[in-house]
Amino acid sequence: MALQLDARQRAMLEEMHVRVWWPQEAPAPQAAAEPAPAPTVVPPAAPVAAPAVAEPPPARPAVRAPAPSPAPAAWADAVATTAQDVRAAAIAGMDWPALQQAVAGCQACKLCGTRRNTVFGVGPTLADAAAPPRVDWLIVGEAPGEQEDLRGEPFVGQAGKLLDNMLRAVHVSRHGEAAEPQRAAFIVNVLKCRPPGNRNPELDEVAQCEPFLKRQIALLQPKIILAVGRFAVQSLLAASVPDVQTTPLGRLRGKVYRYEGVPVVVSYHPAYLLRSLPEKAKAWADLCLAKETLKAS
Ligand code: URA
């Protein structure tokens, strides 16, 4: 049995120049057919149940029943996991321009059908667009909203204005000087496409987008990450904080975590701060913790 990918998954891998074998059109049956090509995915051997009582030897040679195939759902899961691993490995090897292109053309989840623009991220513009900008700060939000989807830039609505003001208060900006990385921030989201109606990101959408965020961080090499809001925090700390999915964000604040070696500070989402003004003082404390962590690095 070969790796079976649907048309969208094949197109996605081809776009990324990932070569995977998949079955050709079945040839017309011939008298002496060639053996089938070697499989790329081998199903686990089906367990053989021992008979409860010893049977007498068969009078005639037994005709072997074909081994039961694994349940279709198990196959679908295995194939999906394999395709996702292949894709993640391809993304992990991309340079900055290839990564930007891959995000722009991504069709890995259903959000590609409703987005107007992908939202890669924003930071200081460099003369050399082929290289990632030099920034000490990385801000990670949740997902583009309506304005972001229209403009292709993260945090351009009301929440974005608040974020910019907060960053300005610690002398940091998305348009920071390229020569002064300590004053420059790159801003990204966990999801690069807008969920319709600004609904919460779904698990499969986060899983498909995660390799993009991981590669952005590997290429940008920020010195501090400020994770704003539940989805950013859960994505970045999933591997290091076992109960992160069930711990309220407020209880995760005030500590420095690590993502791939980079310090991470947890804070509230600016959209939440717009609705809950008393929490602004806590967000300010988070920003100060991030700044101190950066200074000490
Ligand atoms: N909220 C986010 O998390 N990201 C944006 O880009 C805009 C709003």
Side-chain angles (χ1 to χ4, degrees), residues 118-204:
T118 55
V119 180
F120 180 79
V122 67
T125 315
L126 289 189
D128 176 11
R134 292 194 322 127
V135 293
D136 281 0
W137 291 75
L138 179 71
I139 317 300
V140 182
E142 177 181 319
E146 188 180 16
Q147 294 303 312
E148 291 78 18
D149 177 53
L150 278 172
R151 293 199 15 207
E153 181 173 334
F155 282 103
V156 291
Q158 285 309 309
K161 284 197 184 110
L162 175 58
L163 178 64
D164 281 342
N165 286 338
M166 289 169 59
L167 290 175
R168 195 171 305 126
V170 287
H171 311 291
V172 173
S173 156
R174 67 175 82 191
H175 306 296
E177 292 297 320
E180 288 188 296
Q182 70 277 13
R183 299 184 60 168
F186 202 85
I187 304 179
V188 297
N189 285 307
V190 171
L191 293 192
K192 310 305 184 206
C193 298
R194 180 192 183 205
N198 298 348
R199 64 156 166 76
N200 285 340
E202 291 176 1
L203 276 183
D204 66 308

Side-chain angles (χ1 to χ4, degrees), residues 12 15-16 84 87-109 112 115 118-121 138 140 186 188-193 204-220 236 259:
M12 190 176 82
E15 231 166 62
M16 294 190 301
Q84 205 155 315
R87 176 174 173 270
I91 292 172
M94 288 178 179
D95 63 11
W96 194 247
L99 187 61
Q100 285 176 301
Q101 253 187 349
V103 168
C106 182
Q107 303 200 340
C109 80
C112 68
R115 72 178 178 222
T118 55
V119 180
F120 180 79
L138 179 71
V140 182
F186 202 85
V188 297
N189 285 307
V190 171
L191 293 192
K192 310 305 184 206
C193 298
D204 66 308
E205 296 158 359
V206 174
Q208 295 291 356
C209 249
E210 206 262 336
F212 289 141
L213 177 60
K214 190 169 181 180
R215 189 61 185 155
Q216 284 180 310
I217 294 173
L219 290 170
L220 286 164
L236 292 170
Y259 176 85

Side-chain angles (χ1 to χ4, degrees), residues 17-18 41 51 53-55 62 76 79 131 151 176 252:
H17 308 291
V18 176
V41 178
V53 183
E55 294 286 336
V79 167
R151 293 199 15 207
L252 295 164

